[in-house]
Amino acid sequence: MERWDTAFLPHGDSVCVVGVSSARGGCVGLWDTRHSGTPVCQQSLQLPPSLQQSTWVPQVVAGGGTVLLSVGDTVSVYNPHSLQLLFQHDGHKQKDQAVSVTSLAIHPTVERLVFSGDNRQGLQAWIFNPDTEKTVTA
């Protein structure tokens, strides 16, 4: 049985569903709710076998013109129309400690401001710039 996490996403004149699964290497997909049989677009996550075989499910949050996806200690930012990877935030990584991002939130009024929390009680506020590979962490 595949486990999925999903979120609604306004997409043009309709509402889409973005979903993520860790099965078979992991994938993130976008479905138009008017024609839900085939994804509008889909991207492979190429997860390591250790994450594919667990009961853990990646987390997805959509809004503010972005799709956020947490996989282990990393948060990825995707374009909501093409699911193209825009940015990766790895600020939760800790040397010699297993860390998992457990919560994600997109600020409702500040563009590109994201809050992410982890299982080590770390809470980070960061702004991503899709034109760079760096984050600004508060």
Side-chain angles (χ1 to χ4, degrees), residues 8-17 31-34:
F8 286 106
L9 177 67
H11 197 261
D13 294 338
S14 67
V15 174
C16 288
V17 172
W31 287 264
D32 186 330
T33 56
R34 299 171 296 180

Side-chain angles (χ1 to χ4, degrees), residues 42-120:
Q42 192 168 353
Q43 295 290 335
S44 172
L45 298 176
Q46 301 174 357
L47 298 174
S50 60
L51 291 178
Q52 294 177 42
Q53 297 170 357
S54 71
T55 58
W56 162 86
V57 178
Q59 181 182 10
V60 65
V61 173
T66 60
V67 172
L68 301 178
L69 176 64
S70 69
V71 175
D73 58 13
T74 303
V75 180
S76 299
V77 180
Y78 288 87
N79 176 300
H81 305 290
S82 64
L83 293 181
Q84 176 187 359
L85 180 64
L86 299 175
F87 188 82
Q88 286 190 311
H89 172 73
D90 63 359
H92 290 274
K93 284 185 180 181
Q94 293 183 13
K95 187 176 182 175
D96 301 327
Q97 291 186 7
V99 178
S100 294
V101 174
T102 56
S103 62
L104 296 171
I106 300 169
H107 195 281
T109 59
V110 179
E111 190 175 352
R112 297 188 311 263
L113 176 58
V114 176
F115 295 88
S116 53
D118 62 46
N119 64 337
R120 299 280 185 190

